[in-house]
């Protein structure tokens, strides 16, 4: 994994995201050996390369404990946790949260859910993303609506680049990404400049998913 991370960074990745899709299946007594210790090892190595790291321990429930022990640069949350509790417990930037099944409903329901997350995290460093992957049966038109709705509700809101890539490939506008005014802002830029000025049309490379269980 460290070799892979180093290769990703050498190839231009500016953020590493570690996906642990099965973290929630483990009992609490197994977390130190199988979640905390191996993740700390990877996080510390990534930080030694002067690259921030986002962790996504799906289903772990105790995100506060995870952040205090592992100390990632940012935390990605799944759709099974209460975002209001995350807001109270977590000080570092937060990513994700919205249930991908919302994209299988209707536009009005999607609008309410998007607004909910944007409102909850309006005063906290936040990267909009789903709480897990986009489902295969998702209508591309709902993705259109999702991105445009984020745009209208919060014009400078950072959006996770993988979400935008899916959207852009569906729309066949990848080469014209900037012309379509879609934003994906590195969360550190968002943190540093949020109260001073906004970085529009700026894109950062994030590594491929790292699943290590």
């Amino acid at each position: 994994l460290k070799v892979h991370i180093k290769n990703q960074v050498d190839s231009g990745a500016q953020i590493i995201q570690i996906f642990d899709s099965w973290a929630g299946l483990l009992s609490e007594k197994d977390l130190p050996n199988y979640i905390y210790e191996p993740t700390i090892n990877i996080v510390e190595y990534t930080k030694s390369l002067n690259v921030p790291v986002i962790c996504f321990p799906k289903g772990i429930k105790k995100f506060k404990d995870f952040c205090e022990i592992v100390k990632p640069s940012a935390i990605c949350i799944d759709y099974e946790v209460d975002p209001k509790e995350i807001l109270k417990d977590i000080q570092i930037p937060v990513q994700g949260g919205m249930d991908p099944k919302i994209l299988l409903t209707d536009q009005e329901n999607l609008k309410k859910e998007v607004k909910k997350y944007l409102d909850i995290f309006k005063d906290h460093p936040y990267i909009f993303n789903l709480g897990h992957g986009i489902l295969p049966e998702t209508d591309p038109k709902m993705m259109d609506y999702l991105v445009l709705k984020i745009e209208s509700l919060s014009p400078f809101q950072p959006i996770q680049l993988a979400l935008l890539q899916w959207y852009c490939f569906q729309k066949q506008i990848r080469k014209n990404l900037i012309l379509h005014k879609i934003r994906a802002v590195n969360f550190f830029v968002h943190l540093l400049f949020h109260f001073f000025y906004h970085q529009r049309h700026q894109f950062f490379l994030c590594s491929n998913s790292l699943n290590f269980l």
Side-chain angles (χ1 to χ4, degrees):
L1 281 175
K2 290 180 180 179
V3 171
H4 177 66
I5 290 171
K6 183 65 165 59
N7 289 338
Q8 291 289 311
V9 172
D10 288 346
S11 298
Q14 293 170 298
I15 302 174
I16 296 293
Q17 180 161 342
I18 302 170
F19 283 70
D20 193 346
S21 298
W22 309 110
L25 298 182
L26 295 175
S27 63
E28 191 166 345
K29 68 180 178 64
D30 289 325
L31 293 179
N33 287 334
Y34 297 106
I35 300 295
Y36 296 148
E37 291 180 14
T39 309
I40 288 170
N41 193 333
I42 298 171
V43 166
E44 289 180 347
Y45 174 74
T46 304
K47 287 183 176 180
S48 75
L49 302 175
N50 296 315
V51 173
V53 54
I54 304 171
C55 287
F56 181 38
K58 183 179 182 295
I60 202 169
K61 302 295 187 294
K62 295 184 177 181
F63 280 87
K64 180 180 179 181
D65 291 350
F66 181 93
C67 291
E68 291 175 349
I69 294 169
V70 176
K71 295 178 172 53
S73 307
I75 188 73
C76 186
I77 60 173
D78 59 63
Y79 51 85
E80 295 180 337
V81 299
D82 184 350
K84 292 181 179 178
E85 291 299 314
I86 294 294
L87 183 64
K88 289 192 300 184
D89 293 340
I90 305 299
Q91 303 302 315
I92 61 175
V94 173
Q95 173 181 293
M98 197 185 87
D99 190 340
K101 291 187 179 68
I102 297 295
L103 288 163
L104 303 182
T105 60
D106 56 63
Q107 290 186 355
E108 188 59 32
N109 199 29
L110 177 56
K111 176 184 176 180
K112 290 178 181 177
E113 196 72 4
V114 169
K115 190 174 186 305
K116 180 184 84 172
Y117 278 91
L118 293 179
D119 286 347
I120 289 172
F121 292 108
K122 67 183 186 334
D123 296 319
H124 188 96
Y126 179 63
I127 305 168
F128 191 93
N129 196 13
L130 303 181
H132 206 231
I134 298 170
L135 298 170
E137 59 268 36
T138 300
D139 186 344
K141 292 180 180 178
M142 289 294 280
M143 286 299 300
D144 291 355
Y145 184 80
L146 171 62
V147 174
L148 294 174
K149 185 50 60 179
I150 296 169
E151 166 103 359
S152 66
L153 292 173
S154 184
F156 302 105
Q157 173 62 44
I159 306 172
Q160 210 277 339
L161 188 53
L163 192 64
L164 293 174
Q165 286 175 331
W166 191 95
Y167 167 81
C168 293
F169 280 126
Q170 290 293 327
K171 295 292 291 182
Q172 297 182 342
I173 58 169
R174 189 183 184 199
K175 292 182 180 179
N176 296 316
L177 198 59
I178 294 177
L179 296 179
H180 284 257
K181 300 181 181 179
I182 301 169
R183 263 77 73 178
V185 185
N186 176 299
F187 67 88
F188 274 118
V189 171
H190 180 65
L191 273 173
L192 292 172
F193 298 102
H194 179 72
F195 297 105
F196 302 100
Y197 63 93
H198 297 283
Q199 294 287 318
R200 303 190 69 176
H201 315 316
Q202 187 167 359
F203 296 85
F204 291 79
L205 297 176
C206 185
S207 79
N208 294 332
S209 305
L210 298 174
N211 291 283
F212 63 91
L213 279 184

